[in-house]
Amino acid sequence: MRFLFVHGTGVRRERHDRLFALVRERLTDRFHGAAVESCYWGDRFGATLGAGGRSVPGLRPAPHGAPDPVDAETAEWALLLADPLCELRVLAEVGRPGPGDHDGGHGADAAHTDEDAGHDDGFAMPGVQAAGARVLALLEALPPAPPRTGDELGALLHGTGLVAGFAAALDSTADSAEVGRAAALATDEPQARELATALARAVTAAALGTATDEADCTATERDRLVELLTTRLGGDGRVPGARVAAVLGRLALRVTTQPLLDARRGSLTVGATPVLGDILRYQSRGHELRDFLHTRITADPGPTVLIGHSLGGIALVDLLTLAAARGEAVPGAELLVTVGSQAPFLHELGALAALEPGAKLPYGFPRWLNVYDRHDVLSYLAEPVFPGDARVTDHEVRSRQPFPACHSAYWKQDSLYKRIEQAVTEAEIG
């Protein structure tokens, strides 16, 4: 009897040799006298960047210097989409008087509360509305459903798909505690204009966040929407004031994902190439790997147990199905063991090379033991996909590891080899 191990995606020589040494040791401990071989394909059929990665923007880092204004703007909007009220929260804090700002900082008279900030201080003109309160009144007066025609704001909201969430965006912004605090601290016209712009950006971000992928809004349309809202709130600026920009500008570049992805796109792409590239290459040129596997399997006419991990299992399912469908079952292939396999899921998608969605496994396909771990998001169930097929059996392994560690944790689990031994006995492989 022979075991033939077929590794998965992203595996190259050094990793393969360590992994196969473990698998061979565990199998020979249980199956004395059995030949345990590997079918290493990573170097020959795995993916590489043929042009050295020259197709990847950002592979070569840009020289250090001031951040690109477009990158900074993108980062700021990423922060706003995650937290539409973040700029208003900054305004509420940077406008708050510090200790000692009142009456020289002496005694209880120096205390200042949010409620005090909105009250008449005794010096304001009777009947004159405070600057921040005036902006809030304009916000509350905005129509929740602007008309589609005859109004640029309404036409823009309808044209970008943001109109459905606009009313909720207005309400969530106006009702927030952050807005109340920021408005109470806006005591002069420059602060009121800054508040108007921050409110316009918050409403726009909230509407965008609600619409998600249903929105069809360009950056130019987004900026025009902010400009129109700012004007209706009594402001005239296209960007938030200096106080907000000083606090949030650099923070956005540091904590949002877009600058990180931009900066690391090259290294991330190169690092992901063996894993994702192997899958993509197999989808387009899988016959090369399947021909190689067929040659290795049939090189020894004796009964063979095929063990395929991840993409290796997909290739084996495809190979065995195609051969059986032609009436030419692969000689010697007595038992298939897939571990952490996506083959059942691909069959549901119609992405297996040999089977139409919903089709049954052909006559001549061998017994199939499918091993999965419910925490391994790259492993799937086969029995429910091929109902009533006595050849197909699922077996769960629990490594107690989170993903992605659990995708490689099968090979040290004694329960895996015990279940393989049981399957070999059931198949009467000698």
Side-chain angles (χ1 to χ4, degrees):
M1 182 174 61
R2 178 177 66 143
F3 290 88
L4 186 61
F5 174 73
V6 183
H7 65 81
T9 180
V11 174
R12 296 299 182 261
R13 175 57 72 178
E14 183 177 355
R15 167 65 177 153
H16 163 268
D17 290 348
R18 294 197 308 271
L19 178 61
F20 178 60
L22 172 63
V23 173
R24 179 173 53 196
E25 178 185 355
R26 293 299 183 94
L27 287 174
T28 53
D29 282 346
R30 285 184 176 269
F31 300 93
H32 302 291
V36 181
E37 302 173 7
S38 176
C39 191
Y40 176 64
W41 54 266
D43 289 337
R44 185 172 177 182
F45 301 106
T48 59
L49 290 171
R54 288 193 289 271
S55 63
V56 184
L59 184 60
R60 293 164 181 78
H64 292 291
D68 187 314
V70 174
D71 292 343
E73 179 190 39
T74 302
E76 288 171 7
W77 276 99
L79 197 60
L80 277 165
L81 289 175
D83 180 7
L85 299 173
C86 62
E87 292 181 345
L88 291 161
R89 196 172 295 114
V90 170
L91 280 182
E93 293 301 322
V94 298
R96 184 186 301 278
D101 286 350
H102 296 273
D103 299 328
H106 298 295
D109 292 339
H112 179 83
T113 65
D114 292 337
E115 290 79 7
D116 296 333
H119 291 170
D120 193 336
D121 61 7
F123 294 97
M125 294 283 291
V128 176
Q129 195 175 34
R134 187 178 69 252
V135 175
L136 280 190
L138 291 170
L139 176 67
E140 293 173 356
L142 287 175
R148 181 186 295 269
T149 59
D151 178 84
E152 186 181 357
L153 177 62
L156 192 56
L157 288 169
H158 283 279
T160 56
L162 299 181
V163 69
F166 183 65
L170 285 176
D171 290 342
S172 64
T173 303
D175 295 342
S176 67
E178 289 87 346
V179 170
R181 288 195 294 267
L185 294 169
T187 58
D188 56 29
E189 286 307 311
Q191 291 173 349
R193 288 194 294 270
E194 185 176 42
L195 173 64
T197 303
L199 282 170
R201 285 161 66 89
V203 171
T204 302
L208 282 166
T210 300
T212 59
D213 58 353
E214 297 296 323
D216 185 18
C217 184
T218 67
T220 299
E221 291 171 322
R222 177 201 67 201
D223 294 345
R224 180 57 179 162
L225 181 57
V226 170
E227 187 178 0
L228 291 171
L229 288 171
T230 301
T231 300
R232 295 198 182 191
L233 296 174
D236 56 12
R238 298 191 179 193
V239 295
R243 295 182 299 168
V244 172
V247 175
L248 289 183
R250 291 187 178 181
L251 176 64
L253 282 168
R254 291 184 179 183
V255 304
T256 57
T257 56
Q258 190 62 53
L260 179 63
L261 288 173
D262 290 342
R264 299 187 59 195
R265 179 177 176 182
S267 60
L268 287 172
T269 302
V270 171
T273 293
V275 177
L276 297 179
D278 285 0
I279 297 171
L280 295 173
R281 182 184 175 98
Y282 176 78
Q283 290 295 333
S284 63
R285 294 182 173 84
H287 65 279
E288 298 174 347
L289 176 55
R290 292 193 295 271
D291 290 345
F292 176 64
L293 294 177
H294 188 277
T295 299
R296 287 298 313 277
I297 296 169
T298 57
D300 187 327
T304 300
V305 177
L306 303 171
I307 303 177
H309 182 219
S310 194
L311 180 58
I314 295 172
L316 287 171
V317 170
D318 275 339
L319 168 63
L320 295 171
T321 305
L322 285 167
R326 295 193 302 264
E328 302 171 354
V330 178
E334 299 290 337
L335 173 66
L336 169 65
V337 181
T338 56
V339 179
S341 176
Q342 306 89 52
F345 179 64
L346 293 181
H347 179 44
E348 283 201 82
L349 294 177
L352 281 183
L355 284 177
E356 294 291 332
K360 298 180 179 180
L361 293 170
Y363 176 81
F365 191 93
R367 289 174 177 257
W368 179 7
L369 171 63
N370 179 63
V371 181
Y372 71 98
D373 184 327
R374 67 181 60 198
H375 296 302
D376 177 10
V377 300
L378 295 178
S379 67
Y380 293 87
L381 298 170
E383 282 187 55
V385 180
F386 300 99
D389 194 326
R391 294 169 295 179
V392 181
T393 305
D394 288 324
H395 175 71
E396 182 178 7
V397 166
R398 294 195 175 188
S399 68
R400 298 187 294 111
Q401 286 276 58
F403 183 82
C406 57
H407 188 57
S408 300
Y410 297 96
W411 308 109
K412 287 189 175 181
Q413 306 301 310
D414 287 337
S415 60
L416 168 65
Y417 300 98
K418 182 178 180 180
R419 187 62 184 87
I420 292 176
E421 184 176 21
Q422 179 184 341
V424 168
T425 300
E426 292 170 347
E428 299 179 348
I429 303 174

